[in-house]
Amino acid sequence: MRAGRADRARLGIAAPRLRPGDLARESWLSVTRFPGRSLLTALGTLLAAAAFVSTLGLVSTLSQQVSSAFDLRRATEVVVKAEDPGLDNGWQHAEPVDRLRRLAGVVAAGPRVTLAERPVTRLAGGSGGPAARIMGADPEALRVLAPNLVQGRLFTAFDESAAARLVLLPRALAGELGLHRTQAAVFIDDRAYTVAGIYDDVRRRPEALHSVIMPFSTANRLADATPDAERDIVVETAPGAAQLIGHQAPLALHPAAPDALRAIAPPDPRTLRREVESDLARSTLLISAISLVIGTVSIGNAATASIAARRAEIGLRRAVGARRRHIFTQLLCETTVLGALSGTAGAFLGLAVTAGVSLWNGWLPVIDPGTALRAAGCCAAAGLLAGLLPALRATRVQPVTALQR
């Protein structure tokens, strides 16, 4: 080696070098020479980057939407029940419920009583009518349930105080009975009730969608003769106050023995959001990792096939003075450039998908540019790894053997 250097120096021949600029230009020309083939080769890494960026972007965007909906609905609801079904129902009387309503953070609160299914008919003494549960709710409890009326009206405080024989019917049940208007009469246990309204949805407590709702005082009279009546108080709270009201409600309703009541409050929405984000992020990373492995294998196979097709080129380079490390560096740079280009394109595609889906649904897109940079970097690293073995094989090509073919 030393003699070779001395001979080159004596003859005025410069040592072969591969400048960074030449390396970058040769790699770029090699990748862009056949753009279609390069695109198909890098398709796996491109899809991996797009999946990684778009999924994480959509997860961040959706988490904001889920959090808002959760706060407005499920996270603002508390239900208070008796631990012992045989407990005296004095905790549902007006005075305890008024104490509960005065707590800071309570928007609305009212008692309910639910009875077992009973047939509902259009005629007195009729049989074979559809069965439905009977739910009694005072005006405040009705406000918490928030039924969406398609006809009629809700109960008023006067209806509650007078124990009016009024009912609200679910739209499906009204259809089974052939009712298409309010102020008609239906019969429950051979007692006539006037249909005050028909509803098709509720904001809270979905069990109300399958129940006939009547004033609490009216249903309470029926419940006195029903041993299996279910009693509770439904509460709507301000966002963020559900946990606090869940702790305070039993004491406000039953100061003598608060342990006799159980308040069911939703979990902290931030905890739920973190759990959902964590699960989705793990799934995203798994899918992206699989796509990245496929892309890495694809680039490696293409680089291996490229060596066979370029043996003459590699032999000529070696014959005119290129060293093994020059061949190794150039092929490694080519696969790295291919991975970086596909990763960059995939990252932009992922950002476009995130923005497009968000705008289509009327959401505010949440985009982190750092995610796109990380995706491009991972794809470049994948290209680097994919080129190691093919580049090592290329250094073993003998100039004479290659040029003879």
Side-chain angles (χ1 to χ4, degrees):
M1 179 65 69
R2 291 179 179 177
R5 291 178 180 175
D7 292 339
R8 286 196 299 269
R10 187 175 64 254
L11 296 173
I13 300 175
R17 293 184 300 170
L18 185 62
R19 297 182 179 87
D22 296 333
L23 176 63
R25 183 171 57 255
E26 289 290 336
S27 300
W28 175 259
L29 290 175
S30 178
V31 171
T32 57
R33 186 183 306 167
F34 303 102
R37 185 178 66 184
S38 298
L39 177 62
L40 291 176
T41 301
L43 187 60
T45 51
L46 187 150
L47 293 178
F52 180 78
V53 173
S54 62
T55 310
L56 285 185
L58 290 175
V59 166
S60 300
T61 301
L62 284 172
S63 68
Q64 298 298 322
Q65 307 301 318
V66 170
S67 176
S68 300
F70 193 88
D71 284 342
L72 291 175
R73 301 216 180 163
R74 182 71 179 93
T76 57
E77 174 189 329
V78 176
V79 178
V80 185
K81 298 182 177 182
E83 290 284 6
D84 180 6
L87 180 68
D88 179 79
N89 61 2
W91 57 281
Q92 284 192 310
H93 290 174
E95 184 179 351
V97 173
D98 284 340
R99 285 199 300 267
L100 174 62
R101 291 169 180 164
R102 288 196 296 269
L103 293 177
V106 173
V107 176
R112 287 193 313 172
V113 59
T114 306
L115 311 178
E117 288 187 349
R118 303 185 181 196
V120 183
T121 62
R122 293 288 304 276
L123 300 173
S127 60
R133 302 187 73 181
I134 308 301
M135 179 182 294
D138 80 342
E140 284 283 302
L142 210 56
R143 178 182 172 187
V144 177
L145 300 178
N148 182 51
L149 289 177
V150 293
Q151 288 188 47
R153 65 176 181 85
L154 300 177
F155 310 137
T156 63
F158 174 80
D159 298 325
E160 176 65 28
S161 61
R165 295 169 74 169
L166 301 174
V167 292
L168 299 177
L169 295 182
R171 190 172 190 174
L173 179 60
E176 288 187 60
L177 293 172
L179 282 174
H180 304 290
R181 60 182 180 84
T182 59
Q183 302 305 316
V186 295
F187 290 84
I188 303 172
D189 292 343
D190 289 335
R191 296 182 181 178
Y193 295 84
T194 302
V195 178
I198 298 174
Y199 64 97
D200 63 353
D201 197 8
V202 291
R203 179 176 294 181
R204 296 180 181 84
R205 310 311 303 174
E207 67 270 13
L209 280 172
H210 308 285
S211 303
V212 175
I213 304 177
M214 60 179 62
F216 176 77
S217 56
T218 306
N220 212 20
R221 294 179 179 179
L222 299 177
D224 291 339
T226 306
D228 59 347
E230 300 176 7
R231 297 180 177 275
D232 59 23
I233 290 179
V234 289
V235 185
E236 178 187 355
T237 72
Q243 291 289 322
L244 178 63
I245 298 303
H247 290 296
Q248 296 177 344
L251 183 62
L253 293 169
H254 205 306
D259 292 339
L261 300 179
R262 175 168 55 98
I264 304 172
D268 187 348
R270 290 174 297 179
T271 302
L272 177 63
R273 184 170 66 249
R274 283 194 296 266
E275 292 176 355
V276 172
E277 289 177 353
S278 177
D279 292 341
L280 289 175
R282 282 196 296 268
S283 301
T284 301
L285 291 175
L286 178 61
I287 295 172
S288 300
I290 293 173
S291 301
L292 194 59
V293 169
I294 295 173
T296 303
V297 173
S298 175
I299 292 176
N301 288 337
T304 302
S306 176
I307 292 172
R310 298 167 63 186
R311 289 182 69 87
E313 175 193 336
I314 294 172
L316 180 60
R317 287 177 182 272
R318 291 291 311 280
V320 298
R323 298 181 180 181
R324 293 179 185 271
R325 66 170 181 267
H326 296 158
I327 301 298
F328 177 83
T329 304
Q330 180 181 338
L331 291 178
L332 203 61
C333 186
E334 289 177 10
T335 58
T336 304
V337 168
L338 190 60
L341 289 176
S342 62
T344 303
F348 278 108
L349 178 60
L351 293 175
V353 169
T354 301
V357 172
S358 300
L359 295 176
W360 178 267
N361 290 279
W363 303 334
L364 178 65
V366 179
I367 296 175
D368 180 12
T371 301
L373 294 176
R374 287 191 292 271
C378 288
C379 290
L384 178 66
L385 292 175
L388 286 175
L389 185 58
L392 284 173
R393 290 178 177 175
T395 61
R396 299 171 187 167
V397 175
Q398 298 299 322
V400 175
T401 305
L403 292 174
Q404 286 176 347
R405 296 185 178 182

